[in-house]
Amino acid sequence: MQWSSTEQQGCVVASPDGRVDEATAEAFTEHLAASVTMAADSPGKKLIVDFAGLDYMSSRGLRALTLAKRQADAAGVAMALARPNEVMREILAISRYDKLFAVTDSIEAAI
Amino acid sequence: MLVRFWGTRGSLPVAATASIVQDKVAHALLAASGRSFADIEEARSFARNELDFATSGTFGGATTCVEIEAGDPANGDPYIICDMGSGLRGFGLDAMRRCGQGHARVYHFFMSHLHWDHIMGFPFFVPAFDPNAHIIIHAGHEDAEEALRRQQEEISFPVKFDWLRAKIEFRTLKVGETYQIGAVQVELMEQHHSHSSFGYRFTDAEGKVVVFSTDSEHKMDRMEGEADVEQFFGNADLVICDTMYSLADSVSMKEDWGHSSNIVAIDLCHGGRAKRLALFHHEPVYSDADIARMHAESVRYEELTREHDPLEVLCAYDGLEVSL
């Protein structure tokens, strides 16, 4: 799994690439945890996970998002999901994760 | 191998109210607008074939009870039943009918666990009053007998357990063992649930496999253990799986309530290369339309995340029969 992080207007934007399944879920979880830590030290105290490069995500990835959100809540970091493709948007709706997370069409809208 | 679902609802029996039935009739009338039917059979055919299931039928409201017919019942193979929810009453009456036609009066029960919704049918199980019946209750729990006796104490029920006429035995099964019971081989797996629960894997002589896995929560902080679950589900012809909540509910408000989601069940079945999944242990507050929507969404999720052969996603309802 490819992963890159940038800072935009004081917020950490984390950009995973590929698919999150059984084989990549552990790496995804670790990258998320590191990104939350990075966001806790950022001025905006916000982590935006940019879904634009994600093909799809199984329940393991979704549950990793929940674990990251708990870590984020404890650290006072807000979390948002941005730019999901159509497949990811459907998965977020079917799992009702769109009720747990703010989901936006752009990075700017999430900032 | 044939699987009959006698009770598919979770936690608490439910029944359709007058307004629910009226709503179904109103939807059916709208769907039939402008049509006329020559007789009741033609009307039945319309209801069966042209209306959606949530309008023409119901997923039912009886709690967990699943029968697995294996081997050759006409030649003495015994009944196999998973759990004793309120659906057991209907099974018991039908079993008496079949016994009248020569079926062996031997009943092997396999208990997922001993919570009320999974044992409440036993006091109403007519074969328990049959002096010629032999009932063997298999459980991973050592306190199965205590649970069944306690619910028939006078404070809860007028008929004491000791007044039952059938020969009743309790057998504790161990994880890691394989048992030949009736016409099936049985293995069990411990699951995460209050006071623990057990899943069962049944294999018949032809190699057909049914897995019964209800009241099982797959915890976020133990995801590495899911490989064992996938192995237990491995290449099953049918996995009957607890899908009571949405994934979001199961990791938030309803975390630690001991139940799973449609999403996790599909992922586990995909991981185990199972052939069919029956969504099961339906949330009692869900309407038929809610369950039908959850089924449609589950079918779509399976399509979106499929990496190998398709997994057929069924939605269990009271009265469903699945032939394997």
Side-chain angles (χ1 to χ4, degrees):
Chain A
M1 157 159 288
Q2 300 296 310
W3 188 281
S4 60
S5 297
T6 59
E7 196 169 305
Q8 293 184 31
Q9 298 178 47
C11 303
V12 171
V13 179
S15 304
D17 194 64
R19 56 206 296 162
V20 184
D21 55 19
E22 195 174 340
T24 57
E26 197 172 324
F28 181 70
T29 305
E30 288 168 4
H31 282 304
L32 274 176
S35 299
V36 171
T37 303
M38 198 185 299
D41 295 330
S42 69
K45 283 198 172 293
K46 187 170 224 179
L47 170 63
I48 299 162
V49 185
D50 181 8
F51 272 37
L54 275 181
D55 300 328
Y56 89 89
M57 181 181 289
S58 70
S59 66
R60 291 203 176 190
L62 293 167
R63 288 179 286 172
L65 285 171
T66 300
L67 292 171
K69 187 165 191 309
R70 287 184 186 173
Q71 183 191 349
D73 288 344
V77 170
M79 235 179 117
L81 315 179
R83 304 201 296 171
N85 66 16
E86 283 305 310
V87 169
M88 270 314 306
R89 197 171 279 281
E90 270 196 84
I91 289 174
L92 291 170
I94 290 169
S95 62
R96 306 291 186 268
Y97 262 56
D98 57 359
K99 310 281 189 235
L100 294 183
F101 287 89
V103 182
T104 63
D105 290 332
S106 67
I107 302 289
E108 293 71 27
I111 289 174
Chain B
M1 190 184 264
L2 181 70
V3 179
R4 290 193 185 90
F5 291 86
W6 293 93
T8 59
R9 191 66 71 152
S11 302
L12 190 72
V14 294
T17 61
S19 67
I20 290 170
V21 175
Q22 285 160 10
D23 202 44
K24 287 175 185 285
V25 171
H27 276 99
L29 289 170
L30 270 181
S33 291
R35 292 185 57 161
S36 61
F37 302 99
D39 53 29
I40 189 70
E41 275 313 312
E42 196 176 317
R44 279 198 184 110
S45 174
F46 168 76
R48 194 179 304 118
N49 300 318
E50 296 186 46
L51 293 177
D52 64 87
F53 184 74
T55 299
S56 66
T58 179
F59 290 93
T63 63
T64 301
C65 183
V66 178
E67 177 191 0
I68 296 169
E69 189 176 293
D72 186 2
N75 281 311
D77 278 324
Y79 291 110
I80 295 167
I81 311 104
C82 296
D83 284 358
M84 303 172 168
S86 66
L88 182 62
R89 179 178 169 276
F91 165 74
L93 294 172
D94 193 64
M96 291 299 285
R97 177 188 62 77
R98 283 184 263 168
C99 288
Q101 297 170 349
H103 196 294
R105 294 169 187 257
V106 180
Y107 304 81
H108 288 282
F109 282 93
F110 294 88
M111 305 300 297
S112 68
H113 64 311
L114 307 164
H115 284 167
W116 191 29
D117 53 317
H118 293 258
I119 62 171
M120 59 169 48
F122 194 66
F124 302 91
F125 182 51
V126 173
F129 296 87
D130 175 0
N132 296 313
H134 184 189
I135 296 170
I136 306 103
I137 299 164
H138 306 270
H141 300 80
E142 292 183 347
D143 46 6
E145 181 168 1
E146 181 187 351
L148 290 190
R149 285 185 171 278
R150 195 173 58 179
Q151 77 168 342
Q152 290 194 232
E153 288 176 3
E154 191 175 11
I155 195 167
S156 301
F157 199 71
V159 181
K160 292 180 194 298
F161 189 88
D162 284 334
W163 294 356
L164 301 174
R165 302 290 308 282
K167 179 185 176 187
I168 301 175
E169 288 180 63
F170 291 85
R171 293 181 189 165
T172 305
L173 304 183
K174 300 290 181 199
V175 171
E177 300 286 330
T178 301
Y179 300 90
Q180 179 69 47
I181 297 172
V184 290
Q185 284 194 331
V186 187
E187 299 158 271
L188 63 164
M189 167 186 69
E190 189 162 9
Q191 305 176 140
H192 185 82
H193 194 74
S194 168
H195 198 60
S196 214
S197 70
F198 291 85
Y200 293 89
R201 180 181 170 100
F202 302 93
T203 307
D204 74 0
E206 295 175 359
K208 296 289 184 185
V209 174
V210 174
V211 173
F212 177 69
S213 173
T214 193
D215 294 65
S216 177
E217 183 168 356
H218 302 283
K219 297 284 294 174
M220 270 186 304
D221 49 4
R222 296 181 201 169
M223 284 193 277
E224 71 283 356
E226 289 176 11
D228 294 338
V229 181
E230 290 176 359
Q231 189 177 8
F232 196 76
F233 287 7
N235 298 304
D237 296 278
L238 175 66
V239 177
I240 302 162
C241 200
D242 173 358
T243 55
M244 193 167 181
Y245 303 135
S246 69
L247 180 62
D249 273 351
S250 74
V251 300
S252 56
M253 189 176 64
K254 294 171 182 172
E255 188 181 17
D256 293 326
W257 288 20
H259 296 285
S260 183
S261 67
N262 53 342
I263 301 294
V264 170
I266 290 166
D267 284 351
L268 293 172
C269 285
H270 273 162
R273 309 280 193 275
K275 298 179 182 70
R276 283 181 207 83
L277 163 67
L279 308 173
F280 187 74
H281 204 271
H282 304 309
E283 160 68 75
V285 303
Y286 280 5
S287 67
D288 287 318
D290 292 333
I291 297 172
R293 188 179 310 113
M294 185 269 291
H295 181 206
E297 290 176 340
S298 303
V299 169
R300 179 64 179 151
Y301 178 80
E302 192 281 327
E303 288 172 353
L304 291 172
T305 57
R306 184 188 303 155
E307 292 181 324
H308 302 282
D309 290 338
L311 169 73
E312 184 182 357
V313 181
L314 310 171
C315 195
Y317 60 86
D318 297 3
L320 174 66
E321 293 187 355
V322 181
S323 186
L324 304 174

